[in-house]
Amino acid sequence: MPKDTGGITSNLLGGLCSCLRRCIFGILSMGPVPNHIAFIMDGNRRFAKKSNLAEGIGHKAGFSSLVSMLRYCYELGVKYATVYAFSIDNFKRKPKEVQSLMELMQEKIEELLQDESIINEYGVKLHFIGNLQLLAEPVRISMEKAMNVTAHNKQRVLLVCVAYTSSDEIVHAVEESFKELWNEVHKSSGATVSNGTIGQLDRSPKRNGIRVNAQDSCEDYARQNADGSTDRSGETEISSCNGMVEIAEEGKHDQGELPAIKLTDVEKNMYMAVAPDPDILIRTSGEVRLSNFLLWQTSTCPLYSPAALWPEIGLRHLIWAVLNFQRHHFYLEKKKKQF
């Protein structure tokens, strides 16, 4: 009997909390609602240490917080949510810890595909963003399966950044843009680039009047030009350094001017091209560093950094972030128009 009473009380409290939450979201919806919120889930290991728990327990608690936060976002009307799950730099951690995180990630992906999961409840489309080739094959297969299974969902979108850094994303976008440019120029001659790397093209110092230098470091490139070993007459140089694209035209292609790589070309080849830029970026644990996350997409995005560790994040933190966004919305929209 006491167990039945406890269950009824729990259900009543859950219902009251849900009703109150919807009332709060109804009030917030009177103002501008963010379309896209991004999260840097910082503090899982510190939470475990603080609570005297095993390290892996912190990450499991963090997943529970993620599900709750996604539910709040989707109830509020936020369509896109992005989470920074695993950086390329995290591969530098102890192999045992990396393996444990990969196994946990694979386990949680399977949970998300279950019928009663939040993915099916809200019709969420899953995207895994990053250099997925760096991941172990079983994890990559699980991600591909999840993306295929949810491809038909249209109501909400969840982007999970795995094996990701912003600098890697920018380099990838520049390389893909160059491949498109190369194929466009040489379409008539049949010399195209598909799955090969830019570095493979560098082995030929000059092809049809074009020299490629996209993989070499900036120092190597400068040293090469300084010693006069490169014949630069009639060439078009395309180089990438620190995420910036430089196109210096010094000659003409045989069949006309060589088309330039444009900003729109780079942006469409970004991993994050499947979603609009974030309206709010939330990083827990009080840190204000972006840690190489969405550097290209957050130039006009407000950063909210509560002191709570990720497993401790709650509804009040999201409400405060949205209120702060609404307060500065007019100014932010004005800044976006200037870019």
Side-chain angles (χ1 to χ4, degrees), residues 200-237:
Q200 291 173 329
L201 298 175
D202 292 341
R203 295 169 186 166
S204 298
K206 193 171 180 181
R207 294 188 183 183
N208 295 331
I210 299 179
R211 177 174 177 75
V212 181
N213 197 324
Q215 289 276 48
D216 295 343
S217 69
C218 296
E219 292 181 1
D220 291 341
Y221 180 65
R223 193 181 304 114
Q224 184 184 41
N225 287 330
D227 62 18
S229 61
T230 303
D231 178 13
R232 302 178 59 192
S233 59
E235 295 179 8
T236 297
E237 297 175 3

Side-chain angles (χ1 to χ4, degrees), residues 51-70:
S51 306
N52 294 318
L53 301 171
E55 194 169 275
I57 302 300
H59 292 291
K60 290 182 179 179
F63 179 78
S64 298
S65 295
L66 171 61
V67 173
S68 297
M69 197 55 54
L70 289 175

Side-chain angles (χ1 to χ4, degrees), residues 255-327:
Q255 299 177 356
E257 292 187 6
L258 182 68
I261 295 177
K262 301 176 182 177
L263 179 63
T264 53
D265 297 328
V266 176
E267 289 184 333
K268 77 176 182 181
N269 284 306
M270 289 282 185
Y271 295 137
M272 287 293 295
V274 296
D277 292 347
D279 297 302
I280 304 174
L281 175 59
I282 299 175
R283 175 167 187 160
T284 50
S285 75
E287 297 286 350
V288 294
R289 297 175 291 109
L290 296 186
S291 296
N292 215 344
F293 179 58
L294 302 185
L295 302 182
W296 187 281
Q297 296 86 0
T298 54
S299 57
T300 59
C301 176
L303 171 65
Y304 175 55
S305 52
L309 303 175
W310 177 252
E312 299 170 334
I313 193 171
L315 176 61
R316 68 187 187 279
H317 300 109
L318 179 65
I319 292 173
W320 186 256
V322 173
L323 287 172
N324 188 57
F325 163 78
Q326 291 179 338
R327 185 174 62 167

Side-chain angles (χ1 to χ4, degrees), residues 20 81 105 110 123 142 157 188 190-191 198 202 233 248 270 282-283 305:
L20 177 61
M105 193 177 301
E110 295 298 328
S142 295
V157 180
S188 58
I198 299 297
D202 292 341
S233 59
M270 289 282 185
I282 299 175
R283 175 167 187 160
S305 52

